[in-house]
Amino acid sequence: LTDEKYNIVFLRNPVSKRVSVRNNNPDTHIGNILKGLKDENGVSYGGGHKDAGGMFEPDIIKFQSKLEFIEKEIYKMSQSIRKN
């Protein structure tokens, strides 16, 4: 996060298919965002707390789609992240 000055980083383990999310933007609660987003079956993407969260997605295409959706939600919910 700090080396490249990113606000949010997603790391997907290629073996376990688990995704770790780290956040350093004070206006973003990554756990609530992941918990609030639901897939087509009504299941939460994941969860966590303010600065860290996680999710599981074995399908890389679905993961990419979720990532794009999460990005849009972050920009809607965290106006200050656009200024960084």
Side-chain angles (χ1 to χ4, degrees), residues 3-56:
D3 289 349
E4 300 296 328
K5 300 191 179 16
Y6 293 117
N7 291 110
I8 299 174
V9 175
F10 291 78
L11 301 168
R12 184 174 180 264
N13 183 310
V15 176
S16 70
K17 313 301 186 212
R18 297 194 184 284
V19 180
S20 177
V21 186
R22 297 294 181 262
N23 165 53
N24 68 5
N25 182 288
D27 296 330
T28 303
H29 192 301
I30 200 64
N32 285 348
I33 291 172
L34 294 175
K35 198 181 321 176
L37 299 175
K38 312 280 188 215
D39 67 14
E40 62 276 358
N41 298 315
V43 177
S44 289
Y45 280 15
H49 53 85
K50 183 177 182 337
D51 296 328
M55 58 190 245
F56 174 74

Side-chain angles (χ1 to χ4, degrees), residues 30-79:
I30 200 64
N32 285 348
I33 291 172
L34 294 175
K35 198 181 321 176
L37 299 175
K38 312 280 188 215
D39 67 14
E40 62 276 358
N41 298 315
V43 177
S44 289
Y45 280 15
H49 53 85
K50 183 177 182 337
D51 296 328
M55 58 190 245
F56 174 74
E57 181 50 70
D59 184 289
I60 190 67
I61 303 299
K62 286 184 181 179
F63 171 64
Q64 290 171 334
S65 176
K66 285 181 177 181
L67 193 59
E68 290 172 9
F69 189 70
I70 291 168
E71 179 183 29
K72 289 176 187 173
E73 288 300 303
I74 289 170
Y75 279 119
K76 280 196 298 189
M77 299 169 100
S78 303
Q79 301 280 325

